[in-house]
């Protein structure tokens, strides 16, 4: 279409409206990809996932530069990290329950699931503290120690962030605010926890098993 | 591809099932609160009309008066305006630092500024232009315009958006205050190790650089995510993917590039800070680290950065070209695909910044090829714009003049870019003024000229008044001449061997005349900005009243008042064409049934743009501002002690809880 002139047709007037659709009967919120918050969570997971990918890239870059690996330290211990990984993977189950019961808007079960997830997070944080004691290298000892602490620290940051988020949401669901759109938040919180689990798997293999295989 | 469209049945509003999903909100078999009928007491916009509707919505969506109100606002237009003004102030600061450098270089052995200040000046110039102006200005326009252009009432995450602005502002203030106090960074805008590492840069200067990165990138990523969600989920019903305005496409692709590129520079600067402050060895070759790793991380961000600066400008150009060519764009699909291709390819070029670091030959060849490849999508865009103008009836107003200037300057910069993509030539002119000339042609041509055009174009929307056309033409002439006089000679100065980042040179080098010409050009170019500033200030006060659609343009932002009311639109438009206002010139098809008393907007589906939900969006809140303060304290504190993460986290966590906790009697609860 071409328009002949730059002159506006009606100075200062907005065009009148013609109603062609009514939104009254549309729902006030929904779950998963229908909700803008879900997309926001995906966006942050993408940006943070990119951060993980780059840190992992830096790890292998340093392996490549150095040739021998790990640098002047034995590989980190397997006990606490193995326990952490088992609990982490197992937490996918109560997490999926939280998501499902949230979508069913079942307040009693959602509360239970969120309490479980908060406790799981606290337990994991405790194991993580123990995990740091078995690394056999300090961050300021050499580049291997540095990048090891970076990877583990980065994951811990995500663990702590989602744990904080889960605890606040749990408390929220025990107040009078615990209804309606908040159930959609339960689902988005569970989604982010899946990201914390998924990002752990490669990091676990890289930190604990790769030095043994190299 | 494109075809001439007359207002015919193609623009007829389709049946309701194509405009709305009609799906329930709750899971199948569940009685969900989402599907409750709306409160019959609540006034809706199908019950009220005209000035009363406008006034009531303005009250619901308005910003409170007073300081607390101003700091609590979540209106994307208010935040967007602040964002644009702040970025332009940084543009002027960056420009001033450049003028000082040009004055110093005007003649050999000049002693206007010494080497230490000169190092700080070129670092501040680069940092300001790239991080405080280049990235934010594109995002700032997205914050203001994307919600209007997709026909919604606020940006995806309004509080996150407000928070991002304050974090950006505080980061910019921090680095400029540091500069004023003589602790400005002096290690170049990319702060290479080992120069910026603990051994060669004691003191706080490099830390200031690294932490400024954290501020601006946190802000940048958050806004990019808000923009993506706005463009994906808040589009007006009927705005299918192939009806999204090209400006919004450009900002959308740009946001994706930001989401994947910015983490690299955050990683680089975080590693640098750790090496400097807690003794890690990531970049320390003596302990198994590697300095080139820094360059890889930096340029993995740094090359997409160029496109982060350029992509929004393609959006401005597309909007301006279509409006002033008076026809729909030629090659909409190729233009969109070119944007996406540019976005992807921008990640495959970073190593061409590192050709002189000793790469394997295969690597050099690969990155040469990919650097040349990206000229293809950019060329396609240029040809589509020229074709649009060719086939249209161009009206040469100030915005279009700047776009024409962009064509000439950017293409010239692209040509020297093709030259630099070749390793042998790059090796010769690496770190000379040839490179300086190249990237100023690309960046000023590719961003600043379109930006000025965009400001002339949207100023009536932002302020309700027109800018002076006569001054605009003078401005264009002065800017175009000044720019070329300043930067064209640098190609030659560079080929004659003058390196970048030297504070002076000897007379026998023979660079004096060319440098003097460049300085005269720089002063002229700066003069054009003063004229621009005068035009902005004078027009904002006394410019002719614009009316909603002064250019008779086709996209939805021109269906709002100038400046837009807090609610943007009294009712959400329904879209049947890429240029909705050209398709429906007498009446605007709209959606009714949204609340007048609460902040409701339409959430639609990603591809077909069918209305799905009527979701509430957050009310104003002071907490994002307080969160930004807490973030600032933590970031600045952590430059001095790692314990800042311990004592800085509780206030931040508290502020975040305040932010997310639902307030009594707000729409959060409805």
């Amino acid at each position: 279409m071409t328009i002949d002139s730059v002159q506006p047709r009606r100075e200062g007037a907005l065009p009148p409206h013609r109603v062609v659709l009514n939104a009254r009967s549309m729902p006030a919120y929904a779950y998963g990809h229908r909700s803008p918050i879900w997309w926001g969570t995906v966006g942050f997971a993408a940006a943070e996932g990119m951060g993980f990918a780059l840190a992992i890239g830096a790890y292998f870059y340093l392996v490549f530069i150095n040739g021998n690996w790990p640098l002047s330290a034995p590989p980190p211990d397997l006990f606490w990290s193995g326990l952490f990984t088992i609990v982490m993977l197992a937490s996918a189950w109560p997490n999926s329950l939280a998501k499902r019961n949230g979508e069913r808007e079942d307040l009693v079960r959602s509360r239970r699931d969120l309490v479980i997830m908060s406790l799981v997070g606290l337990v994991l944080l405790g194991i993580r503290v123990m995990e740091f004691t078995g690394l056999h290298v300090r961050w300021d000892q050499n580049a291997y120690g540095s990048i090891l602490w970076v990877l583990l620290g980065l994951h811990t940051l995500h663990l702590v962030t989602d744990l904080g988020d889960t605890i606040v949401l749990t408390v929220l669901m025990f107040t009078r605010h615990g209804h309606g759109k908040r159930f959609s938040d339960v689902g988005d919180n569970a989604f982010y926890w899946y990201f914390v689990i998924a990002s752990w798997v490669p990091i676990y293999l890289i930190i604990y098993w790769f030095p043994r295989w190299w | 591809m494109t075809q001439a469209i007359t207002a015919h049945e193609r623009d007829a509003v389709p049946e309701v099932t194509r405009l709305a999903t009609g799906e329930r909100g709750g899971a199948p078999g569940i009685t969900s609160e989402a599907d409750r009928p709306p409160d019959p007491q609540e006034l809706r916009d199908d019950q009220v009309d005209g000035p009363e509707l406008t006034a009531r919505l303005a009250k619901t969506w308005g910003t409170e008066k007073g300081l607390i109100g101003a700091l609590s606002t979540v209106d994307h237009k208010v935040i967007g305006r602040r964002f644009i003004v702040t970025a332009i102030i940084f543009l002027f600061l960056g420009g001033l630092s450049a003028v000082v450098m040009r004055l110093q270089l005007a003649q050999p052995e000049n002693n206007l500024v010494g080497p230490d200040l000169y190092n700080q000046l070129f670092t501040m110039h680069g940092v300001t232009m790239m991080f405080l102006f280049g990235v934010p200005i594109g995002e700032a326009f997205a914050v203001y315009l994307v919600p209007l252009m997709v026909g919604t009432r606020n940006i995806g995450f309004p509080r996150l958006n407000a928070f991002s602005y304050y974090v950006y502002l505080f980061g910019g203030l921090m680095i400029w205050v540091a500069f004023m106090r003589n602790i400005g960074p002096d290690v170049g805008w990319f702060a290479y190790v080992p120069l910026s590492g603990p051994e060669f840069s004691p003191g706080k200067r490099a830390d200031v650089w690294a932490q400024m990165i954290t501020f601006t990138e946190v802000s940048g990523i958050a806004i990019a995510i808000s923009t993506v969600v706005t463009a994906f989920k808040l589009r007006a019903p009927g705005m299918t993917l192939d009806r999204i305005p090209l400006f919004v496409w450009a900002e959308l692709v740009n946001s994706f590039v930001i989401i994947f590129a910015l983490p690299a520079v955050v990683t680089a600067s975080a590693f640098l800070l750790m090496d400097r402050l807690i003794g890690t060895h990531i970049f320390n070759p003596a302990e198994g680290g590697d300095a080139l790793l820094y360059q890889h991380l930096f340029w993995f961000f740094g090359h997409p950065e160029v496109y982060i600066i350029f992509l929004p400008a393609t959006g401005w150009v597309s909007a301006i070209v279509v409006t002033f060519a008076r026809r729909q764009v030629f090659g909409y699909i190729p233009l969109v695909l070119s944007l996406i291709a540019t976005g992807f390819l921008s990640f495959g070029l970073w190593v061409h910044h590192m050709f002189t670091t000793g790469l394997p030959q295969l690597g050099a060849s690969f990155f040469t090829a990919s650097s040349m490849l990206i000229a293809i999508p950019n060329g396609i865009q240029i040809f589509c714009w020229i074709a649009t103008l060719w086939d249209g009836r161009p009206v040469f107003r100030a915005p279009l003049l700047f776009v024409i200037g962009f064509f000439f300057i950017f293409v010239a910069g692209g040509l020297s870019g093709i030259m630099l993509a070749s390793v042998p030539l790059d090796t010769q002119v690496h770190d000379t003024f040839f490179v300086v000339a190249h990237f100023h042609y690309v960046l000023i041509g590719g961003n600043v000229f379109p930006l000025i055009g965009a400001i002339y174009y949207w100023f009536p929307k932002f302020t309700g008044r027109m800018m002076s056309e006569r001054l605009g033409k003078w401005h264009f002439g002065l800017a175009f001449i000044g720019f070329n006089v300043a930067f064209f000679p640098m190609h030659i100065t560079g080929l004659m061997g003058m390196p970048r980042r030297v504070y002076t040179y000897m007379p026998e080098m023979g660079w004096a005349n060319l440098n003097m010409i460049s300085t005269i050009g720089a002063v002229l170019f700066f003069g054009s900005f003063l004229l621009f500033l005068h035009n902005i200030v004078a027009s904002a006060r006394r410019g002719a009243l614009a009316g909603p659609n002064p250019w008779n343009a086709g996209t939805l932002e021109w269906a709002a008042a100038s400046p837009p009311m807090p609610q943007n639109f009294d009712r959400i438009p329904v879209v049947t064409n890429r240029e909705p206002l050209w398709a429906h010139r007498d009446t605007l098809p709209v959606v009714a049934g949204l609340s007048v008393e609460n902040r409701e907007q339409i959430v639609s589906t990603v591809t077909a743009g069918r209305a799905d939900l009527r979701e509430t969006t957050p009310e104003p809140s002071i907490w994002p501002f307080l969160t930004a303060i807490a973030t600032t304290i933590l970031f600045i504190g952590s430059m001095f002690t790692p314990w800042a993460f311990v004592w800085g986290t509780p206030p931040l966590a508290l502020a975040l809880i305040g932010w997310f906790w639902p307030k009594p009697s707000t729409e959060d609860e409805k």
Side-chain angles (χ1 to χ4, degrees), chain B residues 156-273:
Chain B
F157 304 118
R159 291 184 181 173
L160 185 66
N161 184 43
F163 166 78
S164 304
Y165 169 71
Y166 296 120
V167 166
Y168 154 67
L169 175 68
F170 295 154
L173 283 178
M174 177 196 71
I175 196 165
W176 272 90
V177 168
F179 174 68
M180 306 292 178
R181 296 178 46 80
N182 196 26
I183 41 170
D186 57 352
V187 287
W189 81 278
F190 41 59
Y192 276 173
V193 293
L195 176 62
S196 61
E199 198 179 338
F200 297 101
S201 285
K204 286 287 157 210
R205 284 178 168 186
D207 300 318
V208 170
W209 177 87
Q211 208 57 300
M212 180 278 309
I213 296 290
T214 320
F215 276 99
T216 50
E217 310 315 88
V218 165
S219 154
I221 292 172
I223 297 167
I225 290 169
S226 304
T227 305
V228 169
V229 171
T230 310
F232 272 1
K233 293 299 290 176
L234 299 181
R235 298 202 309 274
M239 190 180 280
T240 51
L241 281 184
D242 63 348
R243 289 179 190 148
I244 296 179
L246 283 165
F247 171 81
V248 176
W249 267 114
E251 292 285 3
L252 180 64
V253 175
N254 190 48
S255 299
F256 273 103
V257 176
I258 288 174
I259 289 170
F260 290 104
L262 262 50
V265 72
V266 180
T267 307
S269 69
F271 286 0
L272 176 63
L273 270 180

